[in-house]
Amino acid sequence: YLSDIMVDISDTDISDENLEQYLKWEWLSDLEHNLSKHPHMLVGEIGLCKMARFVREFPKDRGGKATALQLQKMVFRKQLELAAKWSRPVTVHCVNAHGIFMEVMRNILVEAKESCKGEEIQEAKLLWRKAFPPAIAMHSFTGTAHHVGEILAF
């Protein structure tokens, strides 16, 4: 839960420019350590959820739901990146957050494409794929058939 990895924000001004400093990042190195020790371990359940208590109850004077979703998106992206680095599948919880999910995926792809400029197209495509986990299983997905098509076309 995000509330477990946040520092105390009760007397702090939060802005989009400094959001990362409000998360405790030790969990990321712990996860990577576990991935290194367990070659068949997948990464999950990870995800995005507009209905999560953390999102619903995030203090309005600290940015409310919008800030909570930004924090959730940050953590989700780090988890996807780590899964990709270790070539591990992920299981993704995605409730009322298809747009955010696709935004994260597109951002990763844009950055992967930028890092491959000058590569032959076939080599670049292989490198783009490595920017993502080898498999993504959607769990508690609340999107429509159109959203599923968008994900599959991605």
Side-chain angles (χ1 to χ4, degrees), residues 115-141:
S115 71
C116 295
K117 285 185 178 173
E119 297 283 343
E120 294 290 327
I121 190 68
Q122 292 300 347
E123 180 64 23
K125 285 182 178 181
L126 289 173
L127 293 171
W128 300 345
R129 283 192 200 121
K130 289 182 179 183
F132 296 96
I136 299 173
M138 301 300 283
H139 162 75
S140 292
F141 180 72

Side-chain angles (χ1 to χ4, degrees), residues 47-117:
L48 302 160
C49 183
K50 289 185 177 180
M51 303 306 293
R53 181 182 301 141
F54 172 81
V55 173
R56 292 188 329 264
E57 297 177 0
F58 199 83
K60 286 186 179 15
D61 63 337
R62 300 288 176 246
K65 188 174 185 175
T67 298
L69 288 170
Q70 282 297 102
L71 291 164
Q72 195 178 75
K73 184 169 60 171
M74 240 184 266
V75 169
F76 178 68
R77 169 113 188 218
K78 296 284 189 190
Q79 292 165 325
L80 280 177
E81 289 170 347
L82 198 56
K85 176 181 177 181
W86 287 89
S87 192
R88 302 299 174 82
V90 296
T91 176
V92 175
H93 178 96
C94 188
V95 175
N96 296 338
H98 168 74
I100 298 170
F101 173 79
M102 290 305 297
E103 175 189 346
V104 170
M105 299 295 281
R106 284 186 198 104
N107 288 342
I108 291 171
L109 182 59
V110 165
E111 290 174 22
K113 285 181 175 183
E114 287 175 6
S115 71
C116 295
K117 285 185 178 173

